Amino acid sequence: MSQAPRSAVDKALDLVEAVARADRPARLADLARSVDLHRATAYRILLDLVRRGWVLRVGDTYLPGAAALQVSAAALHHSLTALARPVLEGLSGTTGLMVNLQVLEGDRARVVDVVRPERLAMISHLRGEALPVHRFAGPLALVAALPADARAPYLRPAEEAGYPLDGADGLLADLARVERTGVALERGRNEKPVASISRVVRSRDGSPVCALTAVGLDTDFDGPALDGLTERLLAAAGSLEDVLAGRSGTAAPDTEGGAR
């Protein structure tokens, strides 16, 4: 049975996807070949895609355009928050702490969703704010999950604020500690009575997608409570990784620190 001919929409989407998949700026001939289109046809479609902002032409090569990037960013945030919301609610419910979801954006981490219990209403939820790596656990967890040569943009705000990079108490030592332990713990660095602990959530290829962060009063993190909280946070992050990888339905940690 022969396949139906591709529509104009099919061809346009094929080219948008080919541009997005390319590991370097792609040339017309390469794009046309990759989607099995005549070069002249691909060129005409690319003209329209460039005009609409879905593709950017730079010299004789093509890159994802502003429209594609805006839609991708919006889709990432909206889809991610929808998938992660039950995990945030479950972790908050079992710990009694505020739980937020953060993603890297620019040279900081942006808080894209928050679940805050009534007892912690005095703590700012920071929803929508962009947080620097030297003051918060979430960006610290995310940046520690990046290759060392990709961390420089996130270190600049710390340098500009006069925060030390080197030494036992410097930011580089903090990042090495988080990389070793798998969790970022912050106690009073941004606000004296407030503490937080964060764990990165990774994609299938190991790159950081987001961070789950539990926030509360500093006394919530004392002694054995911190061990139990760490266990529940790790379980919640694992549950979200399973959801994002399609290995399970949306899950939330149970009261014993496992997944349900």
Side-chain angles (χ1 to χ4, degrees):
M1 183 176 178
S2 61
Q3 289 185 329
R6 284 184 290 174
S7 69
V9 173
D10 286 329
K11 295 173 183 177
L13 290 175
D14 284 345
L15 282 168
V16 169
E17 291 171 355
V19 171
R21 284 194 306 267
D23 58 4
R24 60 179 60 86
R27 297 178 182 275
L28 172 61
D30 297 328
L31 290 170
R33 188 183 312 110
S34 69
V35 298
D36 195 24
L37 285 176
H38 190 278
R39 181 169 173 159
T41 302
Y43 179 71
R44 287 195 300 271
I45 296 171
L46 285 167
L47 284 178
D48 286 336
L49 292 172
V50 169
R51 178 175 56 82
R52 294 291 299 269
W54 288 94
V55 171
L56 174 67
R57 182 172 180 177
V58 180
D60 60 353
T61 64
Y62 296 87
L63 294 164
L69 296 175
Q70 289 166 4
V71 169
S72 296
L76 171 62
H77 287 191
H78 296 161
S79 299
L80 183 59
T81 54
L83 289 171
R85 184 71 181 191
V87 178
L88 269 65
E89 291 174 346
L91 184 58
S92 180
T94 60
T95 62
L97 299 181
M98 177 163 60
V99 179
N100 68 47
L101 186 73
Q102 300 180 33
V103 297
L104 288 174
E105 184 177 305
D107 57 5
R108 298 166 192 256
R110 189 170 299 279
V111 180
V112 296
D113 198 14
V114 182
V115 174
R116 181 176 62 179
E118 281 298 321
R119 79 175 189 91
L120 296 178
M122 80 294 290
I123 300 178
S124 173
H125 56 65
L126 299 178
R127 187 195 303 270
E129 295 196 27
L131 312 180
V133 67
H134 61 290
R135 288 175 56 194
F136 296 89
L140 190 61
L142 284 162
V143 174
L146 295 173
D149 58 3
R151 296 174 181 174
Y154 306 98
L155 304 183
R156 289 192 199 106
E159 290 183 286
E160 292 168 359
Y163 193 89
L165 296 187
D166 300 311
D169 297 323
L171 185 53
L172 295 179
D174 289 342
L175 290 168
R177 190 177 307 111
V178 175
E179 189 174 8
R180 184 176 66 254
T181 64
V183 294
L185 178 64
E186 176 275 316
R187 303 186 75 163
R189 184 175 294 181
N190 181 62
E191 191 175 345
K192 284 300 180 186
V194 179
S196 58
I197 186 170
S198 187
R199 168 74 172 185
V200 73
V201 175
R202 298 178 183 270
S203 66
R204 288 183 178 182
D205 65 6
S207 58
V209 176
C210 58
L212 280 178
T213 306
V215 184
L217 300 175
D218 191 66
T219 52
D220 294 323
F221 292 72
D222 286 341
L226 180 58
D227 293 335
L229 174 57
T230 301
E231 183 181 349
R232 289 180 171 86
L233 177 65
L234 294 177
S239 294
L240 185 52
E241 286 180 348
D242 286 343
V243 171
L244 296 179
R247 291 190 290 263
S248 69
T250 304
D254 64 22
T255 55
E256 300 302 320
R260 68 180 181 187

